mmCIF file of all heavy atoms in Angstrom:
data_model
loop_
_atom_site.group_PDB
_atom_site.id
_atom_site.type_symbol
_atom_site.label_atom_id
_atom_site.label_comp_id
_atom_site.label_asym_id
_atom_site.label_seq_id
_atom_site.Cartn_x
_atom_site.Cartn_y
_atom_site.Cartn_z
ATOM 1 N N CYS A 1 0.830 -1.199 0.004
ATOM 2 C CA CYS A 1 -0.002 -0.005 -0.006
ATOM 3 C C CYS A 1 0.868 1.261 -0.001
ATOM 4 O O CYS A 1 0.569 2.225 -0.689
ATOM 5 C CB CYS A 1 -0.928 -0.006 1.209
ATOM 6 S SG CYS A 1 -2.292 -1.163 1.096
ATOM 7 N N ALA A 2 1.938 1.243 0.785
ATOM 8 C CA ALA A 2 2.835 2.401 0.813
ATOM 9 C C ALA A 2 3.510 2.627 -0.548
ATOM 10 O O ALA A 2 3.629 3.780 -1.008
ATOM 11 C CB ALA A 2 3.898 2.211 1.906
ATOM 12 N N LEU A 3 3.925 1.538 -1.210
ATOM 13 C CA LEU A 3 4.524 1.678 -2.548
ATOM 14 C C LEU A 3 3.499 2.246 -3.537
ATOM 15 O O LEU A 3 3.818 3.100 -4.368
ATOM 16 C CB LEU A 3 5.046 0.330 -3.038
ATOM 17 C CG LEU A 3 6.348 -0.162 -2.414
ATOM 18 C CD1 LEU A 3 6.711 -1.516 -3.013
ATOM 19 C CD2 LEU A 3 7.478 0.808 -2.633
ATOM 20 N N ASP A 4 2.283 1.756 -3.467
ATOM 21 C CA ASP A 4 1.214 2.269 -4.338
ATOM 22 C C ASP A 4 0.979 3.752 -4.071
ATOM 23 O O ASP A 4 0.765 4.536 -5.017
ATOM 24 C CB ASP A 4 -0.075 1.485 -4.147
ATOM 25 C CG ASP A 4 0.016 0.055 -4.678
ATOM 26 O OD1 ASP A 4 0.963 -0.223 -5.451
ATOM 27 O OD2 ASP A 4 -0.822 -0.770 -4.308
ATOM 28 N N ASP A 5 0.980 4.152 -2.805
ATOM 29 C CA ASP A 5 0.788 5.559 -2.480
ATOM 30 C C ASP A 5 1.931 6.406 -3.031
ATOM 31 O O ASP A 5 1.695 7.541 -3.504
ATOM 32 C CB ASP A 5 0.726 5.728 -0.938
ATOM 33 C CG ASP A 5 -0.597 5.242 -0.366
ATOM 34 O OD1 ASP A 5 -1.553 5.057 -1.132
ATOM 35 O OD2 ASP A 5 -0.651 5.047 0.865
ATOM 36 N N MET A 6 3.156 5.906 -3.009
ATOM 37 C CA MET A 6 4.278 6.629 -3.585
ATOM 38 C C MET A 6 4.101 6.806 -5.079
ATOM 39 O O MET A 6 4.359 7.885 -5.631
ATOM 40 C CB MET A 6 5.595 5.920 -3.281
ATOM 41 C CG MET A 6 6.145 6.194 -1.892
ATOM 42 S SD MET A 6 7.787 5.487 -1.642
ATOM 43 C CE MET A 6 7.354 3.888 -0.906
ATOM 44 N N ASP A 7 3.650 5.756 -5.752
ATOM 45 C CA ASP A 7 3.422 5.844 -7.198
ATOM 46 C C ASP A 7 2.373 6.900 -7.533
ATOM 47 O O ASP A 7 2.529 7.698 -8.436
ATOM 48 C CB ASP A 7 2.982 4.495 -7.738
ATOM 49 C CG ASP A 7 4.127 3.480 -7.820
ATOM 50 O OD1 ASP A 7 5.281 3.929 -7.889
ATOM 51 O OD2 ASP A 7 3.849 2.280 -7.794
ATOM 52 N N ARG A 8 1.267 6.890 -6.755
ATOM 53 C CA ARG A 8 0.161 7.820 -7.028
ATOM 54 C C ARG A 8 0.513 9.261 -6.700
ATOM 55 O O ARG A 8 -0.077 10.181 -7.250
ATOM 56 C CB ARG A 8 -1.087 7.391 -6.242
ATOM 57 C CG ARG A 8 -1.796 6.205 -6.786
ATOM 58 C CD ARG A 8 -3.174 6.033 -6.106
ATOM 59 N NE ARG A 8 -3.018 5.739 -4.685
ATOM 60 C CZ ARG A 8 -2.989 4.496 -4.182
ATOM 61 N NH1 ARG A 8 -3.067 3.449 -5.005
ATOM 62 N NH2 ARG A 8 -2.892 4.324 -2.908
ATOM 63 N N SER A 9 1.443 9.452 -5.749
ATOM 64 C CA SER A 9 1.743 10.804 -5.252
ATOM 65 C C SER A 9 3.099 11.316 -5.699
ATOM 66 O O SER A 9 3.657 12.222 -5.063
ATOM 67 C CB SER A 9 1.672 10.801 -3.723
ATOM 68 O OG SER A 9 0.465 10.275 -3.250
ATOM 69 N N ALA A 10 3.635 10.759 -6.776
ATOM 70 C CA ALA A 10 4.991 11.092 -7.195
ATOM 71 C C ALA A 10 5.218 12.588 -7.411
ATOM 72 O O ALA A 10 6.319 13.096 -7.258
ATOM 73 C CB ALA A 10 5.371 10.320 -8.441
ATOM 74 N N ASN A 11 4.153 13.321 -7.792
ATOM 75 C CA ASN A 11 4.290 14.753 -8.047
ATOM 76 C C ASN A 11 3.877 15.622 -6.871
ATOM 77 O O ASN A 11 3.903 16.843 -6.956
ATOM 78 C CB ASN A 11 3.464 15.137 -9.274
ATOM 79 C CG ASN A 11 3.998 14.476 -10.545
ATOM 80 O OD1 ASN A 11 5.215 14.389 -10.734
ATOM 81 N ND2 ASN A 11 3.111 14.001 -11.387
ATOM 82 N N ASP A 12 3.443 15.019 -5.786
ATOM 83 C CA ASP A 12 3.122 15.734 -4.555
ATOM 84 C C ASP A 12 4.171 15.320 -3.531
ATOM 85 O O ASP A 12 4.034 14.322 -2.859
ATOM 86 C CB ASP A 12 1.706 15.381 -4.074
ATOM 87 C CG ASP A 12 1.251 16.222 -2.901
ATOM 88 O OD1 ASP A 12 2.124 16.709 -2.133
ATOM 89 O OD2 ASP A 12 0.024 16.423 -2.745
ATOM 90 N N PHE A 13 5.232 16.119 -3.446
ATOM 91 C CA PHE A 13 6.411 15.680 -2.737
ATOM 92 C C PHE A 13 6.163 15.474 -1.233
ATOM 93 O O PHE A 13 6.721 14.546 -0.635
ATOM 94 C CB PHE A 13 7.548 16.695 -2.927
ATOM 95 C CG PHE A 13 7.816 17.010 -4.382
ATOM 96 C CD1 PHE A 13 7.939 18.317 -4.821
ATOM 97 C CD2 PHE A 13 7.870 15.996 -5.326
ATOM 98 C CE1 PHE A 13 8.169 18.604 -6.143
ATOM 99 C CE2 PHE A 13 8.093 16.272 -6.650
ATOM 100 C CZ PHE A 13 8.253 17.583 -7.069
ATOM 101 N N ALA A 14 5.320 16.301 -0.621
ATOM 102 C CA ALA A 14 5.043 16.133 0.785
ATOM 103 C C ALA A 14 4.302 14.820 1.044
ATOM 104 O O ALA A 14 4.658 14.078 1.968
ATOM 105 C CB ALA A 14 4.217 17.319 1.310
ATOM 106 N N VAL A 15 3.305 14.535 0.224
ATOM 107 C CA VAL A 15 2.547 13.280 0.401
ATOM 108 C C VAL A 15 3.394 12.070 0.075
ATOM 109 O O VAL A 15 3.363 11.042 0.751
ATOM 110 C CB VAL A 15 1.256 13.312 -0.456
ATOM 111 C CG1 VAL A 15 0.527 11.983 -0.368
ATOM 112 C CG2 VAL A 15 0.348 14.450 0.013
ATOM 113 N N ALA A 16 4.202 12.178 -0.980
ATOM 114 C CA ALA A 16 5.091 11.085 -1.358
ATOM 115 C C ALA A 16 6.099 10.794 -0.252
ATOM 116 O O ALA A 16 6.436 9.639 0.015
ATOM 117 C CB ALA A 16 5.812 11.386 -2.674
ATOM 118 N N GLY A 17 6.596 11.846 0.378
ATOM 119 C CA GLY A 17 7.536 11.660 1.479
ATOM 120 C C GLY A 17 6.909 10.927 2.641
ATOM 121 O O GLY A 17 7.542 10.074 3.286
ATOM 122 N N VAL A 18 5.629 11.225 2.919
ATOM 123 C CA VAL A 18 4.924 10.519 3.977
ATOM 124 C C VAL A 18 4.753 9.050 3.619
ATOM 125 O O VAL A 18 4.934 8.172 4.463
ATOM 126 C CB VAL A 18 3.526 11.171 4.224
ATOM 127 C CG1 VAL A 18 2.684 10.319 5.162
ATOM 128 C CG2 VAL A 18 3.707 12.565 4.813
ATOM 129 N N ALA A 19 4.447 8.763 2.358
ATOM 130 C CA ALA A 19 4.297 7.374 1.911
ATOM 131 C C ALA A 19 5.634 6.632 1.961
ATOM 132 O O ALA A 19 5.679 5.441 2.309
ATOM 133 C CB ALA A 19 3.701 7.344 0.506
ATOM 134 N N ASP A 20 6.704 7.323 1.612
ATOM 135 C CA ASP A 20 8.031 6.742 1.679
ATOM 136 C C ASP A 20 8.358 6.350 3.119
ATOM 137 O O ASP A 20 8.829 5.235 3.400
ATOM 138 C CB ASP A 20 9.050 7.784 1.163
ATOM 139 C CG ASP A 20 10.449 7.237 0.970
ATOM 140 O OD1 ASP A 20 10.764 6.196 1.550
ATOM 141 O OD2 ASP A 20 11.237 7.883 0.272
ATOM 142 N N LEU A 21 8.067 7.241 4.027
ATOM 143 C CA LEU A 21 8.269 6.961 5.436
ATOM 144 C C LEU A 21 7.439 5.740 5.854
ATOM 145 O O LEU A 21 7.896 4.870 6.599
ATOM 146 C CB LEU A 21 7.889 8.190 6.278
ATOM 147 C CG LEU A 21 8.172 8.194 7.762
ATOM 148 C CD1 LEU A 21 8.330 9.622 8.257
ATOM 149 C CD2 LEU A 21 7.050 7.528 8.529
ATOM 150 N N ALA A 22 6.183 5.685 5.367
ATOM 151 C CA ALA A 22 5.288 4.568 5.743
ATOM 152 C C ALA A 22 5.826 3.235 5.257
ATOM 153 O O ALA A 22 5.680 2.230 5.949
ATOM 154 C CB ALA A 22 3.890 4.809 5.145
ATOM 155 N N PHE A 23 6.484 3.224 4.110
ATOM 156 C CA PHE A 23 7.062 1.964 3.583
ATOM 157 C C PHE A 23 8.153 1.480 4.520
ATOM 158 O O PHE A 23 8.180 0.290 4.920
ATOM 159 C CB PHE A 23 7.627 2.202 2.185
ATOM 160 C CG PHE A 23 8.376 1.002 1.635
ATOM 161 C CD1 PHE A 23 7.669 -0.124 1.249
ATOM 162 C CD2 PHE A 23 9.746 1.027 1.520
ATOM 163 C CE1 PHE A 23 8.342 -1.234 0.751
ATOM 164 C CE2 PHE A 23 10.432 -0.094 1.020
ATOM 165 C CZ PHE A 23 9.726 -1.221 0.626
ATOM 166 N N HIS A 24 9.066 2.360 4.903
ATOM 167 C CA HIS A 24 10.171 1.947 5.782
ATOM 168 C C HIS A 24 9.680 1.623 7.164
ATOM 169 O O HIS A 24 10.212 0.730 7.851
ATOM 170 C CB HIS A 24 11.247 3.016 5.783
ATOM 171 C CG HIS A 24 11.976 3.097 4.470
ATOM 172 N ND1 HIS A 24 12.958 2.222 4.118
ATOM 173 C CD2 HIS A 24 11.839 3.967 3.436
ATOM 174 C CE1 HIS A 24 13.423 2.527 2.911
ATOM 175 N NE2 HIS A 24 12.755 3.587 2.474
ATOM 176 N N ARG A 25 8.626 2.304 7.619
ATOM 177 C CA ARG A 25 8.040 1.960 8.929
ATOM 178 C C ARG A 25 7.391 0.595 8.878
ATOM 179 O O ARG A 25 7.497 -0.189 9.834
ATOM 180 C CB ARG A 25 7.016 3.018 9.322
ATOM 181 C CG ARG A 25 6.299 2.662 10.650
ATOM 182 C CD ARG A 25 5.182 3.607 10.966
ATOM 183 N NE ARG A 25 5.686 4.907 11.345
ATOM 184 C CZ ARG A 25 5.099 6.066 11.009
ATOM 185 N NH1 ARG A 25 4.024 6.040 10.251
ATOM 186 N NH2 ARG A 25 5.596 7.197 11.413
ATOM 187 N N ALA A 26 6.738 0.283 7.751
ATOM 188 C CA ALA A 26 6.090 -1.038 7.635
ATOM 189 C C ALA A 26 7.133 -2.164 7.716
ATOM 190 O O ALA A 26 6.874 -3.209 8.305
ATOM 191 C CB ALA A 26 5.316 -1.122 6.311
ATOM 192 N N ILE A 27 8.304 -1.910 7.147
ATOM 193 C CA ILE A 27 9.398 -2.915 7.242
ATOM 194 C C ILE A 27 9.807 -3.064 8.705
ATOM 195 O O ILE A 27 10.005 -4.191 9.198
ATOM 196 C CB ILE A 27 10.569 -2.533 6.365
ATOM 197 C CG1 ILE A 27 10.181 -2.588 4.870
ATOM 198 C CG2 ILE A 27 11.782 -3.423 6.647
ATOM 199 C CD1 ILE A 27 11.233 -2.059 3.931
ATOM 200 N N ALA A 28 9.967 -1.935 9.386
ATOM 201 C CA ALA A 28 10.363 -1.996 10.803
ATOM 202 C C ALA A 28 9.326 -2.716 11.641
ATOM 203 O O ALA A 28 9.682 -3.539 12.514
ATOM 204 C CB ALA A 28 10.584 -0.589 11.334
ATOM 205 N N ILE A 29 8.062 -2.454 11.409
ATOM 206 C CA ILE A 29 6.996 -3.113 12.157
ATOM 207 C C ILE A 29 7.029 -4.630 11.869
ATOM 208 O O ILE A 29 6.765 -5.441 12.775
ATOM 209 C CB ILE A 29 5.633 -2.496 11.794
ATOM 210 C CG1 ILE A 29 5.556 -1.071 12.366
ATOM 211 C CG2 ILE A 29 4.477 -3.368 12.316
ATOM 212 C CD1 ILE A 29 4.328 -0.320 11.908
ATOM 213 N N ALA A 30 7.365 -4.981 10.662
ATOM 214 C CA ALA A 30 7.402 -6.409 10.253
ATOM 215 C C ALA A 30 8.504 -7.186 10.968
ATOM 216 O O ALA A 30 8.507 -8.422 10.916
ATOM 217 C CB ALA A 30 7.584 -6.532 8.742
ATOM 218 N N THR A 31 9.429 -6.508 11.636
ATOM 219 C CA THR A 31 10.415 -7.231 12.449
ATOM 220 C C THR A 31 9.778 -7.845 13.681
ATOM 221 O O THR A 31 10.337 -8.772 14.269
ATOM 222 C CB THR A 31 11.570 -6.316 12.894
ATOM 223 O OG1 THR A 31 11.071 -5.348 13.853
ATOM 224 C CG2 THR A 31 12.231 -5.588 11.738
ATOM 225 N N HIS A 32 8.653 -7.294 14.100
ATOM 226 C CA HIS A 32 7.941 -7.726 15.316
ATOM 227 C C HIS A 32 8.835 -7.665 16.533
ATOM 228 O O HIS A 32 8.757 -8.485 17.447
ATOM 229 C CB HIS A 32 7.296 -9.111 15.100
ATOM 230 C CG HIS A 32 6.245 -9.080 14.057
ATOM 231 N ND1 HIS A 32 4.927 -8.729 14.319
ATOM 232 C CD2 HIS A 32 6.308 -9.285 12.696
ATOM 233 C CE1 HIS A 32 4.248 -8.745 13.209
ATOM 234 N NE2 HIS A 32 5.040 -9.081 12.202
ATOM 235 N N ASN A 33 9.688 -6.656 16.524
ATOM 236 C CA ASN A 33 10.542 -6.323 17.661
ATOM 237 C C ASN A 33 10.178 -4.911 18.039
ATOM 238 O O ASN A 33 10.537 -3.958 17.338
ATOM 239 C CB ASN A 33 12.022 -6.432 17.267
ATOM 240 C CG ASN A 33 12.971 -6.058 18.416
ATOM 241 O OD1 ASN A 33 12.607 -5.273 19.289
ATOM 242 N ND2 ASN A 33 14.173 -6.594 18.377
ATOM 243 N N PRO A 34 9.440 -4.697 19.127
ATOM 244 C CA PRO A 34 8.982 -3.333 19.458
ATOM 245 C C PRO A 34 10.114 -2.337 19.682
ATOM 246 O O PRO A 34 9.947 -1.157 19.387
ATOM 247 C CB PRO A 34 8.154 -3.552 20.725
ATOM 248 C CG PRO A 34 8.622 -4.849 21.289
ATOM 249 C CD PRO A 34 9.000 -5.682 20.135
ATOM 250 N N TYR A 35 11.239 -2.791 20.212
ATOM 251 C CA TYR A 35 12.367 -1.874 20.401
ATOM 252 C C TYR A 35 12.941 -1.463 19.052
ATOM 253 O O TYR A 35 13.261 -0.290 18.823
ATOM 254 C CB TYR A 35 13.460 -2.522 21.250
ATOM 255 C CG TYR A 35 13.068 -2.847 22.679
ATOM 256 C CD1 TYR A 35 13.693 -3.882 23.341
ATOM 257 C CD2 TYR A 35 12.080 -2.120 23.322
ATOM 258 C CE1 TYR A 35 13.330 -4.177 24.660
ATOM 259 C CE2 TYR A 35 11.698 -2.411 24.639
ATOM 260 C CZ TYR A 35 12.337 -3.444 25.289
ATOM 261 O OH TYR A 35 11.979 -3.732 26.573
ATOM 262 N N PHE A 36 13.049 -2.423 18.167
ATOM 263 C CA PHE A 36 13.612 -2.145 16.856
ATOM 264 C C PHE A 36 12.701 -1.208 16.087
ATOM 265 O O PHE A 36 13.130 -0.199 15.539
ATOM 266 C CB PHE A 36 13.808 -3.445 16.069
ATOM 267 C CG PHE A 36 14.769 -3.334 14.931
ATOM 268 C CD1 PHE A 36 16.065 -3.792 15.052
ATOM 269 C CD2 PHE A 36 14.366 -2.745 13.751
ATOM 270 C CE1 PHE A 36 16.969 -3.665 13.989
ATOM 271 C CE2 PHE A 36 15.249 -2.616 12.679
ATOM 272 C CZ PHE A 36 16.543 -3.072 12.806
ATOM 273 N N SER A 37 11.410 -1.532 16.045
ATOM 274 C CA SER A 37 10.479 -0.726 15.280
ATOM 275 C C SER A 37 10.361 0.655 15.895
ATOM 276 O O SER A 37 10.215 1.670 15.179
ATOM 277 C CB SER A 37 9.113 -1.405 15.177
ATOM 278 O OG SER A 37 8.565 -1.614 16.444
ATOM 279 N N GLY A 38 10.436 0.757 17.215
ATOM 280 C CA GLY A 38 10.401 2.074 17.871
ATOM 281 C C GLY A 38 11.569 2.944 17.479
ATOM 282 O O GLY A 38 11.395 4.146 17.213
ATOM 283 N N PHE A 39 12.752 2.369 17.415
ATOM 284 C CA PHE A 39 13.932 3.146 17.008
ATOM 285 C C PHE A 39 13.842 3.597 15.573
ATOM 286 O O PHE A 39 14.093 4.769 15.231
ATOM 287 C CB PHE A 39 15.216 2.343 17.216
ATOM 288 C CG PHE A 39 16.425 3.036 16.683
ATOM 289 C CD1 PHE A 39 16.985 4.105 17.332
ATOM 290 C CD2 PHE A 39 16.994 2.615 15.485
ATOM 291 C CE1 PHE A 39 18.098 4.782 16.820
ATOM 292 C CE2 PHE A 39 18.115 3.266 14.968
ATOM 293 C CZ PHE A 39 18.649 4.335 15.652
ATOM 294 N N VAL A 40 13.477 2.670 14.681
ATOM 295 C CA VAL A 40 13.351 3.031 13.265
ATOM 296 C C VAL A 40 12.247 4.064 13.057
ATOM 297 O O VAL A 40 12.382 4.986 12.263
ATOM 298 C CB VAL A 40 13.124 1.770 12.400
ATOM 299 C CG1 VAL A 40 12.869 2.169 10.950
ATOM 300 C CG2 VAL A 40 14.324 0.859 12.486
ATOM 301 N N ASP A 41 11.158 3.935 13.827
ATOM 302 C CA ASP A 41 10.081 4.921 13.744
ATOM 303 C C ASP A 41 10.576 6.277 14.162
ATOM 304 O O ASP A 41 10.313 7.289 13.514
ATOM 305 C CB ASP A 41 8.927 4.474 14.637
ATOM 306 C CG ASP A 41 7.655 5.257 14.376
ATOM 307 O OD1 ASP A 41 7.338 5.514 13.200
ATOM 308 O OD2 ASP A 41 6.960 5.572 15.345
ATOM 309 N N PHE A 42 11.324 6.351 15.259
ATOM 310 C CA PHE A 42 11.909 7.608 15.714
ATOM 311 C C PHE A 42 12.803 8.210 14.645
ATOM 312 O O PHE A 42 12.670 9.388 14.293
ATOM 313 C CB PHE A 42 12.737 7.394 16.983
ATOM 314 C CG PHE A 42 13.829 8.410 17.168
ATOM 315 C CD1 PHE A 42 13.543 9.688 17.555
ATOM 316 C CD2 PHE A 42 15.133 8.060 16.894
ATOM 317 C CE1 PHE A 42 14.563 10.628 17.699
ATOM 318 C CE2 PHE A 42 16.163 8.987 17.024
ATOM 319 C CZ PHE A 42 15.865 10.281 17.442
ATOM 320 N N LEU A 43 13.695 7.399 14.075
ATOM 321 C CA LEU A 43 14.610 7.903 13.066
ATOM 322 C C LEU A 43 13.861 8.414 11.836
ATOM 323 O O LEU A 43 14.194 9.457 11.291
ATOM 324 C CB LEU A 43 15.589 6.797 12.677
ATOM 325 C CG LEU A 43 16.707 7.200 11.706
ATOM 326 C CD1 LEU A 43 17.595 8.276 12.323
ATOM 327 C CD2 LEU A 43 17.540 5.971 11.367
ATOM 328 N N ALA A 44 12.833 7.674 11.429
ATOM 329 C CA ALA A 44 12.082 8.063 10.242
ATOM 330 C C ALA A 44 11.440 9.424 10.427
ATOM 331 O O ALA A 44 11.420 10.240 9.480
ATOM 332 C CB ALA A 44 11.012 7.013 9.939
ATOM 333 N N HIS A 45 10.925 9.697 11.605
ATOM 334 C CA HIS A 45 10.285 11.004 11.826
ATOM 335 C C HIS A 45 11.288 12.140 11.672
ATOM 336 O O HIS A 45 10.978 13.210 11.178
ATOM 337 C CB HIS A 45 9.668 11.057 13.226
ATOM 338 C CG HIS A 45 8.369 10.312 13.307
ATOM 339 N ND1 HIS A 45 7.273 10.621 12.547
ATOM 340 C CD2 HIS A 45 8.012 9.230 14.041
ATOM 341 C CE1 HIS A 45 6.286 9.794 12.815
ATOM 342 N NE2 HIS A 45 6.710 8.941 13.718
ATOM 343 N N GLN A 46 12.537 11.918 12.076
ATOM 344 C CA GLN A 46 13.531 12.951 11.945
ATOM 345 C C GLN A 46 13.888 13.214 10.473
ATOM 346 O O GLN A 46 14.395 14.271 10.116
ATOM 347 C CB GLN A 46 14.815 12.551 12.696
ATOM 348 C CG GLN A 46 14.600 12.013 14.100
ATOM 349 C CD GLN A 46 13.783 12.947 14.955
ATOM 350 O OE1 GLN A 46 14.054 14.124 15.049
ATOM 351 N NE2 GLN A 46 12.747 12.413 15.541
#
C-alpha cells in the first residue's frame, strides 16, 4: 500500500515523502521487535 501511495503521489512531494516513510516503517513493524520498530520509527520522523 505504501509503494502504491508513492506511485500515485509522485508529483506531490510532501505526500510522497509521507508514503516513503510509511514503507520503511512497515518494514520496521514487520520485524515484530517493538524496540527495533520504535527506534526506526523515531529515526524516520527525523
Side-chain angles (χ1 to χ4, degrees):
C1 287
L3 284 180
D4 290 344
D5 287 344
M6 280 186 266
D7 286 336
R8 285 192 294 268
S9 306
N11 295 320
D12 187 333
F13 308 133
V15 175
V18 171
D20 189 342
L21 187 155
F23 175 72
H24 290 282
R25 176 186 289 142
I27 293 173
I29 291 172
T31 68
H32 295 276
N33 178 333
Y35 296 153
F36 199 102
S37 59
F39 173 74
V40 174
D41 193 41
F42 153 75
L43 185 61
H45 283 300
Q46 313 308 308

